Amino acid sequence: MAAKPFIILSLLAAMFLFTFTCALPRMKDSMSTVNGNYTHVCDAMRFFELGLNVKDFAYCDTSLPYEVRVKDLIDRMTLSEKVNQIGDTAYGVTRIGLPAYEWWSEALHGVSDVGQWGHKASYFDEEVPGATSFPTVITTAASFNKSLWKHIGQVVSTEARAMHNLGHAGLSFWSPNINVVRDPRWGRALETPGEDPYVVGEYAVNYVRGLQDVEGTENATDLNSRPLKVAACCKHYAAYDVDNWLGIERYNFDARVTEQDMQETFLKPFEMCVKDGDVSSVMCSYNKINGIPACADPRLLRGKIRGEWDLHGYIVSDCDSIEVMINHQKWLKDEPEDAVAQALKAGLDLDCGNYYTNYARNSVSKGKVSEKDIDVALKYLYIVLMRLGFFDGIPQLEDLNMTNVCTSEHIELATEAAREGIVLLKNTNQTLPLSTKKIKTIAVVGPHANATSAMIGNYAGVPCQYTSPIQGFSKYGKVIYEMGCADVACKNDSMVFQAVKASKKADATVVVVGIDLSVEAESLDREDLLLPGYQSRLIKLVAAQSKGPVVVVVMSAGGIDISSARDSSKVHSILWAGYPGEEGGQAIADVVFGKYNPGGRLPLTWHENAYVDMLPMTSMQLRPIDHLGYPGRTYKFFNSSIVYPFGYGLSYTNFSYSLVSSTKHLEVQLNKFQHCREVNYTEGLYKPACPAVLIDDLLCDEHHNVELTLEVKNIGEMDGSETVIVYWVAPSGIVDAPIKQVVAFERVFVGAGASEKVSFVLNACKSLGLVDYKGYNLMPSGGGHFILGDGDDLLKIPIHIEFKHST
Ligand SMILES: *[C@@H]1O[C@H](CO)[C@@H](O)[C@H](O)[C@H]1NC(C)=O
Ligand SMILES: *[C@@H]1O[C@H](CO)[C@@H](O)[C@H](O)[C@H]1NC(C)=O
Ligand SMILES: *[C@@H]1O[C@H](CO)[C@@H](O)[C@H](O)[C@H]1NC(C)=O
Ligand SMILES: *[C@@H]1O[C@H](CO)[C@@H](O)[C@H](O)[C@H]1NC(C)=O
Ligand SMILES: *[C@@H]1O[C@H](CO)[C@@H](O)[C@H](O)[C@H]1NC(C)=O
Ligand SMILES: *[C@@H]1O[C@H](CO)[C@@H](O)[C@H](O)[C@H]1NC(C)=O
Ligand SMILES: *[C@@H]1O[C@H](CO)[C@@H](O)[C@H](O)[C@H]1NC(C)=O
Ligand SMILES: *[C@@H]1O[C@H](CO)[C@@H](O)[C@H](O)[C@H]1NC(C)=O
Ligand SMILES: *[C@@H]1O[C@H](CO)[C@@H](O)[C@H](O)[C@H]1NC(C)=O
């Protein structure tokens, strides 16, 4: 989002404030509260005050279906009035009682105040000083806990709706960001759930359901009238994950993507978000895909999202995407009226920006697009506003107020999310958890030892409060605090000595290192995967002289090459905390002192730094490209040395898995019209007579289910949570198949000495498919297997698929 760098935006905002100080507050009111005193549009008093009678307006007649009401509203507008409603700032039409509305709000991990400068829909002030700031998504993703993801969404939407009632928030939030982290350098990894498309998709579905679903109506069958608590938005569609790498910017980047990667990786989470999450909006991205700007591609918008996936909602552009087509991409040497027409015809309903507002009228006059296309866009937009209660209110949400924001339960959930997301990477000789009996003084050193705003990352709001690491640890003992570095850049070692001195005095040393938004951020990709400046040296010198055990805590989103700390006998334990939100310091201390037994898993492969020299960030392909020497991307295709693998994470206890039962054989019935499909096999290896069938041709009902039940036993001495990740490996010999791929996961709590049964029911059509190089989604026959666990505990469970032609 935010086409311009933040500093420029703030400058502009400051200028705007300077020039228009009088106009601004009024604008704010009308944007977020429906003309100051009214909570919804169709309030009879509101119409009366405008000199109108609500009874004259069918769009306010609640006895009519939304479609009819929306048509009435649109049919009342002139062309000029219509084009005033299809930018993120919709100006309203006072003449017919329609107020202004600002579409742009954000709620990536809490209600944020990022949005349209000048007339922000969501903001903080004395009346609403803050909202709960959850860990950044990469941390929450590491919990692998679907119910947590949903629960956070529910709390965020409760706070959002309370703020809305107080005139402090919009109803449409452009979150979550569900782009797959294809390259470890990507600056926006913190906003995302990581590198696996299925995990990312599951996150999207759960967070979106948490944000959107109104309790009791989640199973409503008419998806065009299903109420929305707030409207979520899955972004950025699609193949968007180059921000600014060596001068190559997202605005002019042309992502060259194969159909195979498109189906399998880049579109997958969006498909899940729309089909399973029933999201009410999708945002298209700035970049081009194979030469076409994403926001002007009818195949991707109208074809996929609206057509194949059946979106119930609106499609919005990233901010100023249409302007980007003209000024950055010089797309088809377009005039603004051409670009506006192409975007409208492609299926883009709302422009974050002012190109639609400024040029759509002329575009219609010149015959480049029909007014009817604008009507269609407006229909999708107003149906969403109807579902949100913008016109009629939603009674069960109207009592929410400040007593529902920053509650102790919400703050505790933010702490819990951070605890669940923290990943234990190393724990030599079970150094952790530390014991308060033995450890009385703790040296807390490093550039993030007193982290506050770094913990909430970007797309944040104002948090209720912070608990920094030094504050968290001070609840467990006497803290000796030294930064060791002036900042994250850590340009010299002048402050290292003080940190070493502290660690010599203390019973234990915690070194909090890492990076922040000055290194990885929107519009800022990384050039290497190392700790900046002298941070590694700080760890080494402190560890060499520390009196007690040494615990390294890493704050980052993308993986860091910490192989020297991993391999050092002086560093006993390593934790990754991501950016753990407003209560991050509390959660870290709770984990270090064993109040919470960590169970998070890495949602990303942690690569060695040498990886960045093996392939350019601009190469989109996931599979290795042999003739260029590119080694492949993500755990699915990279098969070489790494620092820590995707899915890695230790516990203070140990778990063992045993198989209880599983489907060994699945027979899929084919009728005589269903044809076998070819699959490339390595030469010389066995290839079944009917190697594969098209998944689209199958019925995909419960006869295609396979079942897997295992027992997870906690064989250690401490209660803990274990994440069971189920990978599927395709029948061997298939050329180009992933090394393995996640098809299911479940986080389970198991008491010390106890065991829990965990069952999975997988539909083969969803879980046992492969996208071939031609873009077909195929189910291969033959003997594949599931993999669970790792190392010595690896379970390999065979699953054989056979096709039977009925005669
Ligand atoms: C998952 O998160 C929920 C919070 O929504 C928590 O109550 C539960 O204990 C977590 N499950 C596990 C296994 O950690
Ligand atoms: C909606 O369906 C789910 C799954 O079948 C069920 O668990 C839930 O109770 C249903 N909710 C309502 C309000 O009926
Ligand atoms: C907020 O809502 C609660 C519950 O409905 C109510 O008891 C309380 O008086 C409200 N507070 C304010 C400040 O309106
Ligand atoms: C920690 O950071 C906060 C916020 O930046 C600051 O107010 C506080 O003084 C710092 N604490 C110490 C001990 O330096
Ligand atoms: C070390 O870095 C700090 C902070 O950037 C700076 O103030 C100081 O002058 C530097 N010291 C040396 C010896 O370069
Ligand atoms: C771990 O414990 C073993 C056995 O007590 C000891 O030999 C070894 O030095 C310890 N390792 C470290 C890093 O403290
Ligand atoms: C878990 O098992 C490993 C390998 O047997 C062992 O080295 C480790 O000490 C055990 N950890 C705990 C917490 O029991
Ligand atoms: C698969 O085999 C076909 C036919 O031999 C060949 O043209 C194609 O390049 C192969 N594809 C891959 C990905 O190996
Ligand atoms: C990965 O590399 C190892 C060692 O080079 C090799 O034995 C193995 O077959 C490879 N795995 C796959 C799935 O390519």
Side-chain angles (χ1 to χ4, degrees):
M1 197 94 24
K4 318 274 174 352
F6 179 69
I7 296 170
I8 297 182
L9 274 181
S10 329
L11 261 175
L12 283 172
M15 284 163 53
F16 188 88
L17 273 167
F18 185 67
T19 346
F20 297 105
T21 25
C22 306
L24 193 59
R26 217 172 36 131
M27 192 66 158
K28 250 183 186 172
D29 276 347
S30 61
M31 283 301 160
S32 45
T33 62
V34 188
N35 297 357
N37 301 320
Y38 300 99
T39 54
H40 56 269
V41 173
C42 295
D43 185 310
M45 268 312 281
R46 197 184 142 265
F47 273 74
F48 179 76
E49 280 182 15
L50 292 170
L52 303 169
N53 183 349
V54 73
K55 296 225 155 58
D56 297 338
F57 295 88
Y59 79 80
C60 279
D61 181 346
T62 53
S63 71
L64 298 171
Y66 287 168
E67 298 248 347
V68 176
R69 294 173 64 185
V70 163
K71 183 164 175 0
D72 172 73
L73 176 61
I74 298 166
D75 286 351
R76 288 172 187 275
M77 295 185 204
T78 65
L79 175 58
S80 300
E81 286 167 347
K82 287 175 187 172
V83 302
N84 269 339
Q85 319 307 324
I86 50 177
D88 63 291
T89 304
Y91 290 92
V93 187
T94 313
R95 181 179 71 77
I96 57 170
L98 181 70
Y101 179 72
E102 173 56 53
W103 284 89
W104 184 1
S105 287
E106 304 275 351
L108 183 65
H109 54 110
V111 184
S112 164
D113 53 0
V114 171
Q116 185 62 270
W117 56 273
H119 28 85
K120 272 187 190 177
S122 303
Y123 63 97
F124 297 97
D125 60 12
E126 311 74 46
E127 198 188 347
V128 182
T132 312
S133 204
F134 289 90
T136 56
V137 176
I138 195 77
T139 305
T140 304
S143 74
F144 282 81
N145 182 346
K146 287 173 240 182
S147 66
L148 174 72
W149 299 340
K150 188 169 177 182
H151 195 175
I152 292 175
Q154 288 166 334
V155 166
V156 171
S157 54
T158 293
E159 295 199 352
R161 204 73 204 204
M163 284 177 64
H164 175 74
N165 291 343
L166 297 164
H168 278 63
L171 292 166
S172 45
F173 294 83
W174 293 345
S175 308
N177 177 344
I178 59 161
N179 293 116
V180 167
V181 183
R182 172 193 56 103
D183 190 291
R185 288 163 281 198
W186 190 32
R188 300 185 76 171
L190 77 162
E191 299 174 35
T192 78
E195 76 181 23
D196 180 77
Y198 174 75
V199 175
V200 172
E202 281 289 339
Y203 177 86
V205 170
N206 283 282
Y207 189 65
V208 165
R209 290 234 163 245
L211 284 180
Q212 290 195 159
D213 290 1
V214 175
E215 218 184 314
T217 66
E218 55 268 47
N219 301 332
T221 47
D222 178 6
L223 300 182
N224 283 317
S225 66
R226 195 174 76 96
L228 293 168
K229 194 172 168 197
V230 302
C233 172
C234 281
K235 67 189 186 187
H236 314 77
Y237 181 83
Y240 166 79
D241 60 348
V242 171
D243 258 66
N244 184 350
W245 177 71
L246 305 179
I248 295 160
E249 284 192 281
R250 52 187 173 159
Y251 309 121
N252 43 35
F253 179 57
D254 182 13
R256 293 281 160 176
V257 188
T258 64
E259 281 301 317
Q260 184 179 39
D261 285 333
M262 206 65 181
Q263 306 295 333
E264 182 181 69
T265 300
F266 298 114
L267 298 185
K268 173 92 176 173
F270 289 93
E271 181 177 0
M272 291 171 73
C273 177
V274 174
K275 285 185 177 170
D276 304 335
D278 191 28
V279 77
S280 54
S281 174
V282 175
M283 176 184 286
C284 51
S285 54
Y286 293 116
N287 55 290
K288 289 189 277 189
I289 300 171
N290 299 326
I292 306 176
C295 291
D297 190 336
R299 181 171 169 257
L300 281 178
L301 306 190
R302 210 178 276 297
K304 281 270 176 215
I305 305 178
R306 182 77 59 198
E308 254 179 72
W309 303 341
D310 194 20
L311 174 75
H312 294 90
Y314 67 97
I315 301 178
V316 59
S317 72
D318 204 337
C319 296
D320 296 326
S321 284
I322 304 180
E323 187 259 346
V324 162
M325 288 177 209
I326 307 279
N327 293 331
H328 290 258
Q329 298 170 343
K330 318 268 183 223
W331 163 244
L332 299 177
K333 301 203 178 71
D334 272 355
E335 293 298 320
E337 288 84 359
D338 301 310
V340 160
Q342 284 147 8
L344 270 166
K345 286 191 268 192
L348 179 71
D349 306 306
L350 185 71
D351 171 25
C352 178
N354 52 26
Y355 261 54
Y356 271 6
T357 312
N358 290 346
Y359 301 106
R361 192 188 148 79
N362 263 345
S363 195
V364 172
S365 311
K366 290 182 180 171
K368 292 177 190 290
V369 69
S370 77
E371 185 170 348
K372 203 170 160 220
D373 287 314
I374 296 175
D375 295 346
V376 170
L378 285 170
K379 179 182 87 178
Y380 294 132
L381 290 166
Y382 286 118
I383 289 210
V384 167
L385 284 180
M386 290 262 166
R387 293 171 61 196
L388 283 164
F390 181 71
F391 290 92
D392 312 323
I394 297 181
Q396 74 192 89
L397 302 175
E398 260 144 47
D399 288 340
L400 296 171
N401 61 27
M402 266 314 282
T403 60
N404 304 98
V405 180
C406 286
T407 66
S408 52
E409 289 83 10
H410 295 180
I411 294 172
E412 171 53 24
L413 187 65
T415 321
E416 172 66 13
R419 289 186 202 109
E420 289 192 29
I422 289 173
V423 180
L424 179 64
L425 295 171
K426 175 181 180 180
N427 198 18
T428 312
N429 286 357
Q430 295 179 46
T431 299
L432 294 182
L434 299 180
S435 146
T436 46
K437 292 209 183 71
K438 291 192 204 132
I439 309 293
K440 302 291 178 195
T441 57
I442 315 143
V444 183
V445 305
H448 277 319
N450 186 30
T452 52
S453 58
M455 297 194 296
I456 64 174
N458 62 355
Y459 287 90
V462 179
C464 320
Q465 59 183 51
Y466 283 116
T467 304
S468 72
I470 53 173
Q471 287 172 316
F473 280 108
S474 65
K475 295 182 187 165
Y476 289 94
K478 183 172 175 296
V479 165
I480 314 174
Y481 162 57
E482 285 296 337
M483 287 269 282
C485 297
D487 49 26
V488 156
C490 201
K491 286 267 173 24
N492 63 46
D493 60 1
S494 61
M495 294 167 77
V496 169
F497 175 66
Q498 293 301 325
V500 171
K501 239 172 71 181
S503 76
K504 278 168 141 175
K505 279 191 289 195
D507 299 330
T509 297
V510 180
V511 195
V512 196
V513 296
I515 54 182
D516 62 13
L517 295 176
S518 68
V519 179
E520 54 174 349
E522 182 167 13
S523 288
L524 181 64
D525 297 317
R526 286 190 293 170
E527 282 168 28
D528 64 51
L529 308 179
L530 301 169
L531 284 173
Y534 280 77
Q535 286 198 41
S536 295
R537 203 160 162 72
L538 169 72
I539 297 175
K540 194 169 169 204
L541 293 176
V542 165
Q545 303 209 36
S546 162
K547 182 174 94 178
V550 175
V551 180
V552 169
V553 176
V554 181
M555 283 194 198
S556 74
I560 309 261
D561 184 346
I562 46 158
S563 28
S564 64
R566 179 195 62 190
D567 299 337
S568 161
S569 61
K570 301 274 159 76
V571 173
H572 302 89
S573 302
I574 304 176
L575 292 167
W576 174 73
Y579 299 114
E582 62 173 67
E583 292 299 314
Q586 185 63 53
I588 292 167
D590 288 347
V591 166
V592 166
F593 279 92
K595 188 177 165 201
Y596 187 83
N597 182 358
R601 302 294 192 91
L602 291 181
L604 291 168
T605 305
W606 279 35
H607 282 284
E608 292 173 357
N609 189 47
Y611 185 78
V612 303
D613 298 324
M614 295 179 189
L615 77 177
M617 211 182 151
T618 46
S619 162
M620 295 300 288
Q621 184 162 316
L622 274 291
R623 288 168 174 75
I625 306 180
D626 294 338
H627 69 277
L628 295 171
Y630 299 170
R633 298 178 170 284
T634 80
Y635 76 89
K636 285 189 182 180
F637 300 106
F638 181 75
N639 184 26
S640 187
S641 180
I642 48 170
V643 181
Y644 289 111
F646 171 89
Y648 187 74
L650 306 170
S651 165
Y652 297 155
T653 185
N654 273 331
F655 298 93
S656 75
Y657 293 178
S658 55
L659 184 64
V660 175
S661 64
S662 73
T663 308
K664 306 225 163 25
H665 195 89
L666 180 72
E667 206 174 272
V668 176
Q669 293 296 331
L670 305 176
N671 67 38
K672 60 184 171 186
F673 310 112
Q674 287 169 308
H675 297 277
C676 296
R677 298 278 168 162
E678 263 315 304
V679 170
N680 289 19
Y681 266 77
T682 310
E683 240 183 70
L685 287 185
Y686 169 76
K687 177 175 177 177
C690 182
V693 292
L694 267 188
I695 287 177
D696 280 347
D697 288 350
L698 300 175
L699 205 54
C700 297
D701 57 9
E702 69 278 5
H703 294 109
H704 298 78
N705 285 352
V706 301
E707 173 270 343
L708 191 62
T709 300
L710 65 150
E711 191 172 73
V712 178
K713 190 167 193 316
N714 182 339
I715 53 174
E717 269 145 37
M718 199 170 170
D719 298 351
S721 288
E722 168 72 350
T723 295
V724 181
I725 303 181
V726 182
Y727 297 92
W728 174 63
V729 180
S732 70
I734 298 180
V735 173
D736 260 4
I739 297 167
K740 58 181 182 179
Q741 56 187 330
V742 177
V743 292
F745 59 91
E746 197 68 52
R747 182 180 173 117
V748 283
F749 176 84
V750 193
S755 42
E756 294 289 335
K757 274 205 180 119
V758 186
S759 285
F760 299 93
V761 177
L762 305 173
N763 189 287
C765 294
K766 281 194 173 163
S767 303
L768 310 186
L770 290 175
V771 180
D772 78 355
Y773 72 101
K774 292 182 276 194
Y776 278 129
N777 194 15
L778 300 176
M779 186 187 296
S781 65
H785 58 271
F786 296 113
I787 294 182
L788 295 102
D790 46 31
D792 298 340
D793 303 321
L794 187 103
L795 270 187
K796 257 176 106 167
I797 304 161
I799 170 73
H800 191 271
I801 296 180
E802 196 179 350
F803 303 128
K804 276 268 159 68
H805 268 102
S806 54
T807 43

